[in-house]
Amino acid sequence: MSAVGNSTSGSEDDVKRAIAPMEWTERHDILLCREILLTEPYRFKKGSVDKGKAWSTIAETLNCFQELKFKVTQRSVRERFSLIQIKFKTKNSKDERSSGTSTQTTELDELIEEITEKERAAEENRGSEENMRKLETDRAKAEEARKKAMERMSQTSKRLSDEEEDSRKNKRRRRSGNDTIEFLRERGQAERALKEKELEIKRIQIEEQAKAAQASQRQMTEMMQLMQQQQQQMQTMQTMLLQQQQQQCQALLALIESMKGKK
């Protein structure tokens, strides 16, 4: 009975250990961040299939580690990184509001900061690509509208010409060979009608040309705005990199000073 009881108790302990949740340590977090930098899930759009596959790859790789045990899923690694990233941002915000005292940067801090910067850069690049695709779509639509307008104008011109030809034929049939006054009157009316139709065609042409010019101007304006946004983004990134370098230099100087003090 004792042997059976011990065997049953051992089996229960094994089951509890198998289903027990994994306890995250800083070492686990460091390995997680390293895999994120290698797999780069932030390259893909949020909620996409490719992004989900990237997180699944990270989870599978971590579960294969021998030196440090992992028991994770796609969802658990994604939620864990979101948690430590929030903690990192909160810590940085508190440091910025402090009196300027520098805190020691850990390897985990550096990894999270690098991932955060690459996430931001990937998001900005996606925004630029989407703007360019929208601009190309608008340009194609404007060109299609211009072609349709030219086709309508050509059809209108042909229809007016056919109507004028039919009118002349009908008038010739109605005109008497000896009625000169009636002939001159009808010819004057036909000429006025022809001039009015020519003016209508010219008006349509001018309107279509004006629409095409406005579409071209709007496209140029959007292109210029997009280029300005990209330049501003580049300047912002350069400023952030410069600030990071200055912070690292200050931290290094502070470390050297503290080492001198200890001597």
Side-chain angles (χ1 to χ4, degrees):
M1 289 294 291
S2 176
V4 173
N6 290 337
S7 175
T8 304
S9 176
S11 299
E12 291 176 351
D13 291 341
D14 291 340
V15 172
K16 289 180 180 179
R17 282 195 296 270
I19 63 176
M22 192 195 87
E23 183 178 352
W24 287 89
T25 65
E26 184 174 352
R27 184 61 180 164
H28 285 89
D29 292 335
I30 290 173
L31 292 176
L32 168 61
C33 290
R34 288 178 180 175
E35 286 303 316
I36 291 174
L37 285 173
L38 287 173
T39 311
E40 299 181 324
Y42 42 76
R43 289 181 297 131
F44 307 108
K45 189 175 181 180
K46 184 177 180 181
S48 65
V49 175
D50 290 332
K51 196 176 189 73
K53 288 180 180 179
W55 283 111
S56 296
T57 300
I58 292 171
E60 292 169 2
T61 303
L62 293 175
N63 286 331
C64 292
F65 269 99
Q66 297 298 325
E67 56 177 309
L68 195 63
K69 294 298 181 181
F70 280 87
K71 187 165 58 177
V72 293
T73 62
Q74 177 201 119
R75 179 177 178 179
S76 66
V77 292
R78 192 174 66 246
E79 291 179 348
R80 179 62 184 179
F81 177 72
S82 178
L83 176 63
I84 61 177
Q85 189 179 44
I86 291 172
K87 290 181 178 179
F88 170 76
K89 291 179 179 179
T90 303
K91 175 185 173 184
N92 277 2
S93 178
K94 290 180 179 178
D95 291 342
E96 290 175 359
R97 293 196 300 268
S98 65
S99 58
T101 56
S102 60
T103 57
Q104 186 176 2
T105 303
T106 65
E107 180 183 357
L108 181 60
D109 291 336
E110 293 175 353
L111 289 170
I112 297 175
E113 184 176 7
E114 184 177 356
I115 294 171
T116 302
E117 289 299 325
K118 289 187 176 182
E119 278 182 337
R120 185 183 297 110
E123 188 65 30
E124 291 174 353
N125 288 337
R126 273 197 298 275
S128 298
E129 290 172 0
E130 288 176 0
N131 288 336
M132 288 297 294
R133 284 195 294 269
K134 183 178 181 299
L135 227 88
E136 289 296 330
T137 302
D138 292 343
R139 185 181 296 110
K141 288 181 179 178
E143 181 63 21
E144 183 65 21
R146 188 187 68 81
K147 288 180 179 179
K148 289 182 178 179
M150 293 299 291
E151 289 173 359
R152 287 196 301 270
M153 186 173 65
S154 176
Q155 292 171 359
T156 301
S157 178
K158 184 177 184 301
R159 178 176 57 79
L160 293 174
S161 178
D162 291 343
E163 290 177 357
E164 178 62 26
E165 181 64 24
D166 292 340
S167 177
R168 283 199 297 269
K169 289 178 179 178
N170 292 333
K171 289 175 181 178
R172 280 198 297 270
R173 284 195 294 268
R174 292 194 303 268
R175 190 170 61 240
S176 171
N178 297 323
D179 196 353
T180 305
I181 297 175
E182 182 65 18
F183 165 72
L184 293 174
R185 184 180 65 81
E186 290 181 353
R187 188 177 68 176
Q189 291 176 348
E191 289 176 352
R192 285 195 299 272
L194 180 60
K195 288 181 180 179
E196 290 176 357
K197 291 174 182 178
E198 289 176 349
L199 290 173
E200 178 65 17
I201 292 173
K202 287 182 179 179
R203 184 185 64 79
I204 293 173
Q205 289 176 339
I206 292 172
E207 288 180 354
E208 296 299 334
Q209 290 173 357
K211 289 180 181 178
Q214 289 175 356
S216 177
Q217 181 64 32
R218 184 170 60 254
Q219 291 172 4
M220 288 296 296
T221 302
E222 291 175 351
M223 284 288 291
M224 292 297 295
Q225 290 175 350
L226 179 60
M227 292 174 64
Q228 290 175 357
Q229 290 175 1
Q230 291 176 340
Q231 289 175 354
Q232 290 174 355
Q233 291 172 359
M234 289 296 296
Q235 290 174 357
T236 301
M237 291 181 66
Q238 290 174 355
T239 302
M240 292 176 64
L241 289 173
L242 180 59
Q243 289 175 352
Q244 290 177 1
Q245 291 175 355
Q246 290 175 349
Q247 291 174 358
Q248 291 174 356
C249 290
Q250 290 174 357
L252 181 60
L253 290 173
L255 179 61
I256 294 172
E257 290 297 327
S258 64
M259 292 175 66
K260 288 181 179 179
K262 289 179 180 180
K263 291 182 179 179

